[in-house]
Every structure is written in C-alpha cells, then in structure tokens.
Amino acid sequence: MKSIDKESLIHKCLTENYKKYYRIAYSYTFQEQDAMDIVQEGAYRAILKSNSLRNPEYADTWICRIMMNEAVRFLNKNRGRTIAMEEIPETGEAAEYIPDKTEELNLKQALCKLNEKDRRIVILRFFEEETLRTIAEIMNLNENTVKSRLYRAMEKLKKYMGTGGAEHGKMETGI
C-alpha cells in the first residue's frame, strides 16, 4: 500500500475512532485536557509514522498501541504532578462511565497500583470493551497470556478495593 494511502487510512481511522482514543488516554490520566493532549500527540505520531504500518487492516489496533504508548510517555514526563479533588470532572464525556467521585478516586488509585501491562489489559477490556483476541493483537501477546494477566489484574483490583482502598488508608495493602 502506498504511503499516501496509508496516511489517508490513518486520518480516517483517527476521525472515526476519536472518542475511543480519547477514552484510552483519559483512563491513564483522568484529566480531560491531558487526555486531549495525548490524543493529539498520538495522532501526530501515527500520521508521521504511517508508512511503518504493515497491515492496513490493523490500523485501529496500531493506533491504539500508539495512544497507550503516548499516555505512558506523558505520565513519565509528568511524574510527581498531583491532582486536586476539585480537578476530577463531574460531567462531560470522559466522566460518564464512572458514577461517583469516591469510586472514581479509588478506581484511579487501584489502576495505578497495577503494572503497566496489566493496566493496559484492564483498560482495553473494561473501558473499551475490546475482545481478548483484539487485546492480544494490540499488545502483541498470546490470547491465553491476556486471559491470565486479566485474571490476575482483576484479583489485585478486587483485593485493593475490598480493603477499602484510599478511603481506609490501605493503599499498599494487597497489591
């Protein structure tokens, strides 16, 4: 496939799946502006590297991986930055899938306790509702590996949330 065709395919994919990429970015930062910055930078990188897309039928999967990598890069760059409770959005597109501030804060903290690979799997499975096969493709893993990591990650999250999470000061317990 020609470089021009790949670039237009990437543009089309970015346009059609913007909300999905935004949700992925938001699930890493829980900040609307940061998520938009990540998507913008991820889109730029995807367009810039469009000629390295090997299989055009996996363009969406390829872009998801770029967005997740960009989110990790963003977090590493901004490590140590704190979030005030007032900054947690109550309304808007990004907040619609998490109903309450306390639950959102506990979920944020629980997700942050997972290692990067496990967090990606949980985000893709439950925030993006991707199939295990698609997650395996995105992360370049065996489907059974994805299943076992998802199971272990969910056990860690259950244990963390079961101890009361941040609400009871047991952030380090169980994970």
Side-chain angles (χ1 to χ4, degrees):
M1 187 174 217
K2 292 180 184 176
S3 173
I4 301 294
D5 295 332
K6 286 182 183 178
E7 191 173 318
S8 63
L9 174 66
I10 299 301
H11 277 283
K12 181 181 178 195
C13 202
L14 286 166
T15 303
E16 290 174 358
N17 298 303
Y18 174 82
K19 286 183 180 180
K20 175 182 179 178
Y21 305 138
Y22 174 83
R23 286 190 309 267
I24 289 171
Y26 185 83
S27 67
Y28 279 83
T29 64
F30 296 98
Q31 294 291 312
E32 290 183 34
Q33 190 61 48
D34 292 344
M36 288 189 284
D37 291 346
I38 290 167
V39 172
Q40 183 177 8
E41 186 62 29
Y44 171 74
R45 288 180 191 274
I47 292 167
L48 191 64
K49 297 179 180 221
S50 61
N51 61 345
S52 67
L53 175 63
R54 290 186 206 130
N55 298 322
E57 61 271 12
Y58 296 118
D60 180 51
T61 304
W62 184 75
I63 294 171
C64 282
R65 191 175 307 145
I66 290 172
M67 293 298 171
M68 288 186 292
N69 289 337
E70 190 55 41
V72 170
R73 191 176 298 120
F74 179 87
L75 291 175
N76 288 337
K77 179 180 167 189
N78 294 297
R79 192 174 304 261
R81 190 177 126 203
T82 58
I83 299 171
M85 274 298 277
E86 301 80 47
E87 292 180 37
I88 299 173
E90 291 184 51
T91 59
E93 247 178 72
E96 67 190 29
Y97 57 86
I98 301 176
D100 148 318
K101 280 185 178 184
T102 305
E103 285 179 29
E104 180 178 345
L105 185 58
N106 286 336
L107 180 59
K108 284 180 195 180
Q109 291 171 335
L111 283 171
C112 288
K113 295 293 180 187
L114 296 175
N115 68 45
E116 184 56 38
K117 290 178 182 177
D118 291 347
R119 183 174 34 231
R120 283 184 182 195
I121 291 171
V122 169
I123 288 168
L124 289 171
R125 182 69 183 113
F126 297 106
F127 288 79
E128 291 306 313
E129 300 178 356
E130 296 289 357
T131 64
L132 295 174
R133 172 173 279 141
T134 303
I135 295 168
E137 289 172 3
I138 290 171
M139 297 187 66
N140 202 22
L141 295 170
N142 178 296
E143 192 172 340
N144 288 330
T145 303
V146 171
K147 284 180 189 177
S148 64
R149 284 188 181 170
L150 179 61
Y151 177 79
R152 283 194 308 265
M154 293 308 295
E155 289 300 309
K156 288 177 183 177
L157 289 173
K158 282 181 201 173
K159 194 171 186 179
Y160 177 79
M161 297 302 280
T163 62
E167 196 172 297
H168 299 297
K170 298 181 180 179
M171 292 176 59
E172 302 305 322
T173 304
I175 297 185

